[in-house]
Amino acid sequence: MKSLPLPIHVRAYTATSAVGSGKKSLRHAALHQSHGLTPLCTTQLKHSDKLDTWIGQVKGLEIELPTPWAQWDCRNNRLAWMGLQQDNFLLDVRHAIERHGPSRVGVVIGTSTSSIGATEEAYAIRRATGTLPSHASNQHLHTLHSLSSFVATALETQGPSFTISTACSSSAKAVCAAARLLKLNLVDAVVVGGVDSLCSSILFGFNALQLLSPDPCQPFDVHRKGINLGEAAGFALLERGEGSTQLLGYGESSDAHHMSAPHPTGQGAEIALDLALKMAELEAKDIDHIHLHGTATPKNDEVEAALLQRRFTENTWASSTKGITGHTLGAAGILGTAFNLLSLEEGWIPGTANTRELDANCGPQIQLRPAYRNTRTVASHSFAFGGSNCILIWGRI
Amino acid sequence: MSSLQVWIEGVALWTPHLPNWEAACAAGQTASLARQTIPLPQILPPAERRRCPETVSLALEVGQRAAEMAKRDPKELLSVFTSASGETTIIDYLCETLVGEPLLVSPTRFLHSIHNAPAGVWNMVNHATLANTSISADRLSFANGLFESCIQCITDHQPVILIGYDTEAPSSLRTSVSHQMAMAVAVVISPHATPQSRYKFSGNLINGLATTYQPSSPRLDLTTAGMADAQPFLEALASGQTNLFNMPISEHQYLDISITPMHQP
């Protein structure tokens, strides 16, 4: 049996997305059911006139990174830096380094895009001018690990650091990797996070897969038409020891079915659920709220709704926030964690923004409206391309 | 600080000149092989085999061979995938297509560009529902993959397969991504000794700069590969002797490693 013998608590967390920077923005958007989505054609993003879809864009990313970090400058790392500066997160990490020493603080970040936007730009410049720009030879930038190495440098940590890239489960799996580092006493604290930014690869890739919605996305709605892509940066500082909010359990599994469609019976997701519940020593009915993956694709929502009906009672409420922020891919997991932790600390749960009429296969669990609810135990779902599933359970002690 | 102890049951390597582990062990003692092409995975149906991206072919090749050496069914293995640069051929294709005709991006090729595509395919073809992960740490991707594999092996008390791969970078990306040689490596590890254990591995996490690795008579030339950092580990296994060496996992820390061959039954 996998056990979580150590208490692991959340020392600090923050999230920045299309609805604004920091927890206050997330809270405001959730409680007012307001979204930060805009039509792609109204943005300055490249090729924005070619696709009919809505996106969740973060404002204010025109500012370059501070000069010492110029080699990492790109949209994704600017978003990471913006995210790190919210909610006193930098100060909390600095204090953790003072408490434990820099080599005892690790950094595990999830991303699917990392700096690929910079590589796209290099090719665009070559098409226009005939040669690649000088930044094309910046090997610190054009690598998937660029984000994590930038974050570790900016935070001045010297503990273990690697990048997890498993599409939409990346930043949830970062929490699991951090828990293992803590369990084996290789670190005393870990900065986990996820940052993904809007770029042509994902916009046109998802368009090619016919998964983009031309309207604001409507998770679990009978008329849902697919996803809206979004960008976000989220981070959490996990530390060994007791605290008011703790990681109770986690479960990871593989669908082993298809690269971009979930297993039709949700069996992979259920394996992850059972592993998480077993580790947490809980039953499904003990979960007060689930932050759903709820991307608004026909398949994901169908399978996820069926899983809810099969395994949970009406006492477990559930909602998807993809209608507020868009689907932020590599950052989706950490956003789910941020919503989970806000629920535990503040006693409310988000609704399912933009959704008007629930699909017939949705049970009583899915909430359209936000609500005040005294939650003790919450969970988040992340189900990714490649059949990667990750479920986290957090608790208020 | 705890010591990571695992037992190595299987290993596999592929480079254009060393297309299997036996060739790696004999390297330096036999004439160099002519440059090989990446083998297409026989486990895939013919139509998919032809369209298979190189990273998937590499991952399936070494993964299958290491699992066979370890006498392990892939279904019983957790898996950790690692790559310095991922599927650079498709990244090149994507970036080129996005500049010209973005609406013509191939959905299949987009899916293949996702970093965990080889992991997803591995689990699919093996009908394996245990978790996998896909990581990167740039030029230290092998060491970090090994580190994460040992961590999962010990915390979950489960055997793990580590599968690492990098392709040769296409010419447009040669300045961004330096490596010029395709390479794949796989290792199967177990949390306790078994009849198929071949080596005992022990690693301690140490703060500081590792001593530079300077083998006196190296068998393998991996310097132009994305996972050149695997060299000390692979040399140690190929030598058949006890080896002590360091592997950096970052600019601040390294693993102080000892590898001891087990007696074969």
Side-chain angles (χ1 to χ4, degrees), chain A residues 288-334:
Chain A
D288 296 315
H289 178 258
I290 306 173
H291 181 274
L292 299 169
H293 191 54
T295 56
T297 65
K299 276 290 157 214
N300 175 81
D301 292 3
E302 177 190 322
V303 172
E304 198 170 12
L307 173 67
L308 290 179
Q309 286 256 57
R310 205 159 60 238
R311 295 296 307 269
F312 294 90
T313 68
E314 62 199 8
N315 290 327
T316 300
W317 289 9
S319 47
S320 165
T321 60
K322 300 291 193 290
I324 293 177
T325 60
H327 185 8
T328 59
L329 303 181
I334 197 71

Side-chain angles (χ1 to χ4, degrees), chain B residues 191-260:
Chain B
H192 42 252
T194 61
Q196 62 261 46
S197 297
R198 291 166 182 265
Y199 310 85
K200 183 177 174 189
F201 170 102
S202 169
N204 285 292
L205 184 62
I206 309 288
N207 303 328
L209 280 174
T211 49
T212 312
Y213 178 67
Q214 280 168 336
S216 51
S217 40
R219 287 163 202 267
L220 314 170
D221 181 10
L222 306 176
T223 45
T224 64
M227 279 178 302
D229 70 315
Q231 182 151 2
F233 179 83
L234 294 171
E235 292 278 356
L237 296 188
S239 74
Q241 295 169 358
T242 296
N243 272 253
L244 307 172
F245 58 93
N246 298 337
M247 287 183 78
I249 60 164
S250 73
E251 55 182 331
H252 304 293
Q253 294 181 312
Y254 61 92
L255 292 172
D256 181 25
I257 294 173
S258 86
I259 289 187
T260 310

